[in-house]
Amino acid sequence: MAVRDASEPPGPAAAAELRNFLSEVPAPAAVGHRIVHSGPHLTGHTLIDTPVRALLADVADLAPLHVAPALRVVDAARELLPDVPHVACFDTVFHKDLPAQARTYAVPERWRAEYGLRRYGFHGLSYSWALQRTAQALGRPVDNLQVVLVHLGGGCSACAVRNGHSVDTTMGLTPLEGLVMSRRSGSLDPGALLWLQRRHGLSTAELDDTLHRHSGLLGLSGTSGDTRDLVRARAEGDAAAALALATFTLSCRRGIASMAASLDRLDALVFTGEIGEDQPEVREEICSALTVLGVRGGLLVPELEDLMREGLRRIDQAVRSVPVLVVATGEIQQIAAETRRLLGVADRTR
């Protein structure tokens, strides 16, 4: 398998970079694209044609950090590979059947009907993969599991899954709502935004840029949005780093507890995402303060190399505690699986 990773979102050079990559690998039979937001008209993973491409462009402003850069790659790939199917795999699909009470904002009907204001939820490809791995690890069918899944990375969210279906999640209309994230603020009092505009004259563009790129762990610490940096800085006495981590882990506990409120029981707490995989200090600080849910600290710390090779680890060790698992992030594998499924091709990755 050929892999090419990039640390930055696709830019104007995406077409050239993709062309170079394709020149080094066998011609693909199909291309699966991760698209964060499906918008209101697409409720399943789908082939990308001209009408679908137009629908995606129309919702790009709902996930500005994700959809526009992804569409650059879609356009480049469709131009370079015009004779193979291109499949849009959406993070929102996992949450498409959210109960009405979980997807509905308490705003006037006109806003909901005319403007389409509702909660969508994200990280669905990651959650789909983690849920299947969790069922395998616990030896139970997916449709008999009630779990809270937590994706912690550059973006962070939590999700309640009841019998195989997402029934609540912390992200909303956009991927800005919910938990504190690396550079994104997470949920904020809407009155604070009105006050900043009215009292201090902040523009929509300034609010957008600050909340998406200069808040979260970076905004709290003033130095980094990376938990690894902040754990080291805290150990060296950096008070801002300590506050950033404390605020972040409290936000995660709040999110997990609120998701558990949509379940009858908690069969497992599952961590995935870059932070979820590779930050034992964060996992420990979250779990050690969730005893009210039957979760305990004193977690095992698997070697990252072992986790990546095996795909998951159960890390709880307290007697009669809720199982706590770490699942290696599987968004790429899930995109491949969804693409094969849509095209009717046998999936041998599971």
Side-chain angles (χ1 to χ4, degrees), residues 248-262:
F248 177 72
T249 54
L250 174 59
S251 171
C252 292
R253 293 196 300 273
R254 285 171 169 166
I256 292 166
S258 69
M259 293 301 99
S262 290

Side-chain angles (χ1 to χ4, degrees), residues 107-121:
V107 295
E109 194 271 342
R110 179 187 172 192
W111 287 18
R112 291 178 274 123
E114 281 191 38
Y115 306 147
L117 200 62
R118 54 156 292 185
R119 176 171 281 108
Y120 283 90

Side-chain angles (χ1 to χ4, degrees), residues 1-342:
M1 181 177 69
V3 177
R4 179 75 57 84
D5 293 319
S7 59
E8 297 296 327
E17 293 168 359
L18 183 57
R19 183 181 295 106
N20 291 338
F21 176 67
L22 291 172
S23 70
E24 301 169 1
V25 299
V31 181
H33 299 267
R34 180 196 177 198
I35 308 292
V36 165
H37 211 307
S38 65
H41 302 297
L42 299 169
T43 58
H45 310 302
T46 186
L47 286 167
I48 302 173
D49 56 16
T50 299
V52 167
R53 173 62 177 79
L55 289 172
L56 296 178
D58 191 52
V59 300
D61 61 342
L62 289 176
L65 298 184
H66 303 90
V67 175
L71 290 181
R72 292 192 194 103
V73 177
V74 168
D75 293 341
R78 292 179 73 204
E79 180 179 345
L80 292 167
L81 299 165
D83 299 322
V84 305
H86 293 259
V87 176
C89 299
F90 298 109
D91 274 305
T92 47
V93 165
F94 186 74
H95 309 286
K96 67 183 177 65
D97 295 322
L98 278 175
Q101 66 270 25
R103 68 172 183 265
T104 304
Y105 287 115
V107 295
E109 194 271 342
R110 179 187 172 192
W111 287 18
R112 291 178 274 123
E114 281 191 38
Y115 306 147
L117 200 62
R118 54 156 292 185
R119 176 171 281 108
Y120 283 90
F122 303 94
H123 290 134
L125 294 165
S126 175
Y127 289 145
S128 294
W129 183 261
L131 179 60
Q132 295 293 332
R133 304 284 83 68
T134 298
Q136 292 173 4
L138 298 179
R140 296 175 59 175
V142 166
D143 60 7
N144 189 32
L145 275 181
Q146 298 197 35
V147 299
V148 173
L149 307 174
V150 190
H151 180 105
L152 302 180
C156 301
S157 72
C159 172
V161 175
R162 178 199 290 266
N163 303 334
H165 299 282
S166 170
V167 294
D168 203 359
T169 188
T170 56
M171 282 182 167
L173 175 73
T174 77
L176 190 58
E177 186 180 358
L179 310 184
V180 172
M181 305 178 219
S182 177
R183 294 170 178 261
R184 280 174 263 167
S185 63
S187 292
L188 188 66
D189 178 358
L193 302 179
L194 297 173
W195 177 77
L196 288 168
Q197 288 184 308
R198 185 172 56 242
R199 183 70 176 267
H200 296 283
L202 271 64
S203 67
T204 302
E206 187 173 0
L207 289 172
D208 186 290
D209 183 59
T210 301
L211 295 176
H212 279 101
R213 296 177 175 85
H214 306 287
S215 298
L217 289 168
L218 177 62
L220 285 164
S221 68
T223 55
S224 177
D226 190 321
T227 54
R228 294 168 296 186
D229 296 336
L230 298 177
V231 166
R232 287 191 292 266
R234 180 178 63 180
E236 296 168 359
D238 186 326
L243 175 62
L245 288 168
T247 304
F248 177 72
T249 54
L250 174 59
S251 171
C252 292
R253 293 196 300 273
R254 285 171 169 166
I256 292 166
S258 69
M259 293 301 99
S262 290
L263 303 176
D264 300 320
R265 62 181 189 271
L266 185 58
D267 294 329
L269 174 62
V270 183
F271 290 94
T272 190
E274 292 177 352
I275 297 172
E277 292 170 359
D278 190 26
Q279 199 66 70
E281 296 89 349
V282 168
R283 294 194 301 260
E284 182 66 32
E285 288 168 34
I286 291 170
C287 291
S288 62
L290 278 178
T291 54
V292 68
L293 296 181
V295 177
R296 300 287 187 274
L299 303 173
L300 299 171
V301 182
E303 292 291 335
L304 185 60
E305 182 178 331
D306 294 338
L307 175 63
M308 294 299 103
R309 183 179 64 253
E310 297 169 16
L312 61 87
R313 277 291 182 92
R314 182 169 171 174
I315 59 173
D316 60 285
Q317 55 180 345
V319 177
R320 292 189 298 277
S321 66
V322 168
V324 179
L325 290 84
V326 181
V327 176
T329 309
E331 288 164 320
I332 294 173
Q333 297 95 317
Q334 191 65 33
I335 290 168
E338 300 294 356
T339 299
R340 292 188 181 98
R341 185 177 296 115
L342 186 74

